[in-house]
């Protein structure tokens, strides 16, 4: 009896590890060939690597560097695609279908993940990161996430962080407030609103917002430290010293803040 070709159990696809993928697009084919070349070179390098060489080999650092380079590469591909393919050129029904597919795949979360990764690199020792371009790209990725899911609080929050880095404090506060409209119990946007006010030298507003954080979390190290820094900037060293003490009772102060506290104590002598 002839077997049914539609029987899924009878249909198998065999793919050897040596099989190569071929694309109709010349660009994609060049990318694929380059990645194959890199894989081959890496294997040869590891084969020739002396065992004693691993003593000075930082695997975590190498992994982080590799992820960063891959992330940059994928981001460059996305930007090229955005320039070549304009969604407005497609009929609305196709645009809607594409958007729905991205939503179903949680693509907005992917955009946010990549945006956060870029922000994290700004705080690393990577000297090759362009501060302005990186923050602008973070904002673009967050806008792409918002376009897919306008109720994703983290997109507004992450965008606000990038705007603070660009010293656009008023715009950042608006994004943090929007973030709170979707997650009012989250204290992180409150903290960032307070930080933005402090950096913008609106110290009274900053202290008010820090106090709102303390109403939600009476042991917030960041709130106590923020209040201390605000009072220090206002030259109210007595109050600053009081809140530096409260902050350090919860967590050890970072080096820069500790130096400010020492300066504060000298002012009180």
């Amino acid at each position: 009896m002839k077997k049914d070709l539609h029987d899924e159990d009878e249909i198998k696809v065999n793919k050897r590890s040596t099989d190569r993928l071929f694309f109709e697009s010349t660009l994609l084919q060049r990318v694929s060939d380059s990645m194959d070349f890199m894989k081959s070179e890496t294997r040869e390098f590891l084969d020739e690597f002396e065992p004693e060489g691993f003593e000075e080999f930082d695997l975590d650092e190498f992994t982080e560097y590799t992820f960063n380079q891959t992330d940059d590469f994928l981001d460059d591909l996305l930007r090229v695609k955005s320039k070549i393919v304009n969604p407005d050129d497609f009929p609305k029904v196709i645009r809607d279908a594409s958007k729905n597919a991205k939503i179903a795949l949680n693509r907005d979360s992917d955009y946010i993940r990549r945006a956060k990764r870029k922000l994290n690199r700004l705080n690393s020792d990577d000297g090759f990161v362009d501060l302005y371009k990186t923050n602008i790209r973070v904002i673009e990725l967050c806008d792409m996430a918002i376009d897919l899911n306008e109720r994703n609080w983290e997109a507004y929050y992450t965008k606000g962080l990038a705007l603070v880095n660009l010293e656009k404090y008023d715009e950042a506060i608006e994004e943090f407030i929007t973030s709170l409209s979707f997650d009012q119990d989250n204290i992180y946007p409150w903290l960032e609103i307070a930080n933005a006010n402090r950096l913008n030298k609106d110290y009274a507003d900053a202290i008010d917002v820090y106090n709102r954080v303390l109403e939600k979390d009476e042991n917030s190290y960041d709130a106590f430290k923020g209040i201390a820094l605000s009072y220090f900037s206002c030259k109210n060293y007595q109050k600053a010293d009081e809140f530096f003490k409260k902050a350090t009772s919860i967590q050890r102060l970072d080096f820069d803040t500790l130096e400010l506290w020492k300066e504060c104590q000298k002012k009180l002598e």
Side-chain angles (χ1 to χ4, degrees):
M1 179 178 179
K2 192 174 182 179
K3 294 185 177 180
D4 187 355
L5 292 178
H6 295 287
D7 187 350
E8 292 183 0
D9 294 333
E10 299 298 327
I11 300 176
K12 296 182 180 180
V13 178
N14 296 319
K15 182 178 184 301
R16 299 189 304 273
S17 61
T18 55
D19 286 347
R20 291 186 57 197
L21 294 176
F22 293 94
F23 301 89
E24 294 183 4
S25 167
T26 303
L27 173 62
L28 290 180
Q29 188 61 56
R30 291 174 59 186
V31 170
S32 177
D33 291 343
S34 298
M35 294 179 71
D36 287 340
F37 174 77
M38 291 173 60
K39 185 188 297 183
S40 174
E41 289 294 301
T42 302
R43 285 174 178 167
E44 290 184 15
F45 167 75
L46 292 175
D47 288 341
E48 298 175 2
F49 206 88
E50 298 295 334
E52 58 270 17
F54 278 99
E55 294 178 2
E56 300 180 359
F57 184 75
D58 191 329
L59 182 59
D60 289 338
E61 181 180 351
F62 178 77
T63 302
E64 180 70 18
Y65 175 80
T66 303
F67 272 124
N68 288 339
Q69 299 307 311
T70 303
D71 186 68
D72 287 343
F73 171 74
L74 293 174
D75 197 48
D76 287 339
L77 276 182
L78 179 61
R79 277 185 282 193
V80 170
K81 176 186 174 184
S82 299
K83 291 179 180 178
I84 296 175
V85 181
N86 184 357
D88 293 335
D89 294 337
F90 293 95
K92 185 176 183 302
V93 63
I94 296 179
R95 295 202 305 269
D96 291 344
S98 175
K99 183 174 181 178
N100 290 335
K102 291 179 179 179
I103 292 173
L105 293 171
N106 294 320
R107 189 61 58 81
D108 56 315
S109 297
D110 182 53
Y111 291 144
I112 295 170
R113 177 189 59 78
R114 291 166 59 185
K116 289 167 64 177
R117 186 171 186 82
K118 289 184 179 297
L119 281 181
N120 289 336
R121 289 181 64 185
L122 294 177
N123 299 321
S124 68
D125 296 327
D126 191 342
F128 299 100
V129 179
D130 186 297
L131 176 65
Y132 178 79
K133 290 183 178 179
T134 299
N135 282 295
I136 290 297
R137 185 55 183 164
V138 168
I139 292 171
E140 291 174 349
L141 288 167
C142 289
D143 283 337
M144 293 167 68
I146 292 168
D147 183 58
L148 287 178
N149 182 4
E150 62 181 14
R151 299 185 62 82
N152 191 321
W153 72 269
E154 200 169 12
Y156 300 98
Y157 175 77
T158 307
K159 182 179 178 180
L161 295 177
L163 288 167
V164 168
N165 289 339
L166 296 174
E167 299 183 1
K168 297 183 178 182
Y169 303 118
D170 291 336
E171 294 180 37
I173 290 172
E174 290 181 7
E175 297 298 329
F176 294 136
I177 290 174
T178 303
S179 175
L180 280 171
S181 69
F182 299 115
D183 190 359
Q184 296 181 4
D185 295 329
N186 192 336
I187 67 169
Y188 292 107
W190 285 111
L191 277 170
E192 294 305 333
I193 290 172
N195 289 336
N197 276 317
R198 177 172 57 81
L199 292 171
N200 203 29
K201 300 181 180 180
D202 296 327
Y203 301 118
D205 289 341
I207 292 172
D208 285 343
V209 180
Y210 283 129
N211 281 323
R212 293 198 64 173
V213 173
L214 290 172
E215 291 175 3
K216 298 175 179 293
D217 179 6
E218 61 182 12
N219 293 314
S220 173
Y221 163 81
D222 292 312
F224 283 130
K225 187 179 85 167
I227 293 174
L229 293 173
S230 299
Y231 278 126
F232 182 86
S233 297
C234 294
K235 300 183 179 180
N236 187 338
Y237 302 116
Q238 191 70 44
K239 295 292 288 184
D241 181 60
E242 175 188 340
F243 281 91
F244 278 132
K245 289 177 181 176
K246 290 182 178 182
T248 197
S249 69
I250 298 172
Q251 180 179 319
R252 185 174 181 177
L253 296 175
D254 58 85
F255 178 79
D256 291 338
T257 306
L258 184 59
E259 290 299 303
L260 289 177
W261 188 18
K262 290 179 181 179
E263 184 179 342
C264 176
Q265 291 173 325
K266 289 181 181 179
K267 297 286 187 181
L268 294 172
E269 292 177 354

